[in-house]
């Protein structure tokens, strides 16, 4: 199916206080966000008209902005109200919400601390990231040549657009080799995350997930940890080298886009879509509809 490009859709996008026609929602080519990576964003899901973890996502948007020295010129509650209004205006009941903030065009130079910060919000109807068949059988990952950087070479706990350069490179490389996604190690060689999702492992009914000390501590990751605790599943957060995968029984990814997606293999390591993963998926589906 041919996808309609994102700059050619119907409806409205909210930009800097105004609802602009979707096709007229443009920025100037000379803006700091585009040239120097001063841009942060969020990805939020809406299920049956209910926005999942809106507070947490907006809190993270402001946190990411602060890490990049961007000052969003709106109150948190105003942005939340606009998001709710926009989903109604766009009639999105099951979909995705994308707030994005970036530095403007006052200066085309590395230093642009006093330049304006802009913010836009778009929303669209969006079902699953991977097809239902793929989810049932589990996706195939390969370990990327690219690694997550150290926290003193990038603001690794932000959702900064610039950090996604490594993710796109990794995912393109994986897809060109026939895989669904890439698993990235960190700068120390520990397992970090996939290109847009966190990762969990199951061995003998125990859940394991890498400590998020140089990558995004996902909101879905935290929800899954809470669900696991409520189900009295033991959980461990530590650093794991790739040989940890040797005797893993089940593996899955978590993220706003991928929700909980089982992993069938990582290079030569293979896993099953087992009962623990299925239970967590069932409980997560209940949680998002609450
Ligand atoms: N890591 C990366 C690189 C991501 O892009 C995402 C998706 N936002 C995640 C992890 C998972 O975060 P969340 O569960 O908050 O969507």
């Amino acid at each position: 199916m041919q996808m309609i490009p994102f700059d050619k859709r119907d409806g409205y996008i909210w930009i800097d206080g105004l609802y602009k026609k979707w096709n007229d929602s443009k920025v100037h080519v000379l803006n700091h966000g585009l040239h120097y990576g001063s841009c942060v964003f969020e990805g939020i899901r809406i299920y049956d008209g209910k926005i999942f973890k809106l507070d947490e996502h907006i809190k993270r948007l402001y946190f990411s902005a602060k890490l990049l020295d961007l000052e969003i010129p709106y109150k948190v509650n105003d942005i939340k109200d606009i998001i709710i209004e926009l989903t109604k205006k766009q009639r999105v009941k099951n979909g995705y919400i994308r707030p994005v903030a970036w530095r403007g065009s006052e200066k085309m130079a590395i230093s642009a601390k006093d330049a304006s910060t802009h913010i836009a919000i778009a929303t669209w109807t969006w079902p699953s990231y991977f097809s239902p068949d793929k989810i049932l059988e589990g996706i195939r990952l390969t370990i990327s040549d690219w690694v997550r950087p150290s926290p003193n070479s990038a603001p690794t706990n932000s959702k900064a657009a610039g950090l996604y350069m490594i993710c796109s490179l990794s995912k393109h490389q994986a897809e060109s080799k026939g895989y669904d996604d890439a698993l990235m190690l960190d700068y120390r060689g520990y397992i970090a995350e996939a290109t847009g999702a966190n990762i969990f492992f199951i061995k003998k009914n125990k859940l394991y997930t890498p400590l998020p000390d140089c990558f995004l501590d996902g909101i879905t990751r935290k929800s899954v940890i809470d669900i696991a605790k409520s189900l009295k599943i033991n959980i461990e957060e530590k650093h794991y080298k790739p040989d940890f995968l040797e005797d893993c029984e089940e593996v899955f990814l978590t993220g706003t886009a991928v929700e909980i997606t089982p992993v069938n293999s990582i290079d030569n390591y293979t896993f099953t879509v087992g009962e623990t993963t299925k239970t967590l998926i069932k409980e997560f589906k209940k949680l998002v509809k609450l």
Side-chain angles (χ1 to χ4, degrees):
M1 195 178 71
Q2 186 71 29
M3 262 244 290
I4 306 167
F6 274 92
D7 57 352
K8 298 199 170 45
R9 296 188 176 200
D10 292 330
Y12 293 87
I13 292 179
W14 183 92
I15 309 184
D16 292 333
L18 297 172
Y19 285 102
K20 294 243 176 102
K21 283 251 176 70
W22 193 291
N23 290 343
D24 299 333
S25 297
K26 295 175 182 160
V27 291
H28 198 276
V29 288
L30 296 175
N31 80 73
H32 200 271
L34 181 64
H35 292 248
Y36 299 101
S38 53
C39 175
V40 295
F41 68 97
E42 267 306 316
I44 311 170
R45 271 214 189 247
I46 175 166
Y47 295 94
D48 288 343
K50 292 190 192 108
I51 302 173
F52 186 60
K53 306 268 179 194
L54 179 61
D55 287 1
E56 286 84 343
H57 281 285
I58 298 307
K59 203 169 146 206
R60 188 169 69 186
L61 179 71
Y62 279 74
F63 176 76
S64 299
K66 197 159 181 272
L67 286 180
L68 265 71
D69 270 344
L70 297 172
E71 207 170 310
I72 297 174
Y74 289 89
K75 292 203 176 81
V76 168
N77 283 339
D78 294 342
I79 295 298
K80 285 198 271 192
D81 289 346
I82 292 156
I83 287 178
I84 294 164
E85 192 176 85
L86 183 66
T87 55
K88 291 194 176 129
K89 200 174 166 73
Q90 284 292 105
R91 295 201 178 86
V92 176
K93 287 197 88 182
N94 286 289
Y96 189 77
I97 304 157
R98 169 58 62 91
V100 56
W102 68 97
R103 216 188 280 285
S105 301
E106 288 85 352
K107 278 190 186 157
M108 266 294 107
I110 303 218
S111 166
K113 208 166 175 346
D114 299 330
S116 57
T117 297
H118 299 264
I119 175 161
I121 304 160
T123 183
W124 58 90
T125 298
W126 201 40
S128 294
Y129 189 73
F130 292 108
S131 73
D133 286 354
K134 265 261 157 264
I135 292 171
L136 279 181
E137 76 193 35
I139 59 165
R140 294 175 63 241
L141 307 185
T142 181
I143 296 180
S144 173
D145 293 336
W146 298 98
V147 299
R148 297 317 273 159
S150 68
N152 62 351
S153 47
T156 50
N157 50 352
S158 72
K159 201 165 161 62
L163 283 165
Y164 283 85
M165 174 186 63
I166 312 166
C167 302
S168 290
L169 287 169
S170 298
K171 185 142 181 164
H172 290 170
Q173 189 190 51
E175 285 176 343
S176 70
K177 290 196 255 168
Y179 292 92
D180 299 302
D181 200 355
L183 173 65
M184 287 180 287
L185 306 183
D186 73 13
Y187 64 103
R188 299 161 294 196
Y190 294 125
I191 296 172
E193 58 172 354
T195 60
N198 294 117
I199 191 158
F200 284 76
F201 315 102
I202 297 164
K203 284 188 195 189
K204 297 196 174 67
N205 300 320
K206 187 168 168 182
L207 209 52
Y208 300 83
T209 191
L211 202 63
D213 60 358
C214 64
F215 56 88
L216 207 64
D217 182 4
I219 291 166
T220 321
R221 178 186 181 278
K222 287 184 214 154
S223 303
V224 167
I225 290 175
D226 288 345
I227 293 172
K229 283 184 179 160
S230 74
L231 295 174
K232 307 259 183 298
I233 298 173
N234 280 332
I235 169 133
E236 180 185 285
E237 289 177 72
K238 281 192 183 160
H239 293 126
Y240 308 104
K241 286 271 166 84
D243 61 6
F244 180 82
L245 298 171
E246 186 85 56
D247 51 352
C248 283
E249 293 146 15
E250 300 174 42
V251 177
F252 60 86
L253 302 184
T254 64
T256 298
V258 303
E259 302 169 294
I260 299 178
T261 295
V263 174
N264 161 297
S265 64
I266 303 173
D267 292 321
N268 291 329
Y269 300 110
T270 55
F271 320 104
T272 54
V273 183
E275 284 314 310
T276 311
T277 306
K278 285 183 188 156
T279 305
L280 290 168
I281 291 176
K282 204 171 77 199
E283 292 302 315
F284 183 71
K285 279 194 177 142
K286 277 194 222 159
L287 182 71
V288 300
K289 299 267 161 83
L290 280 184

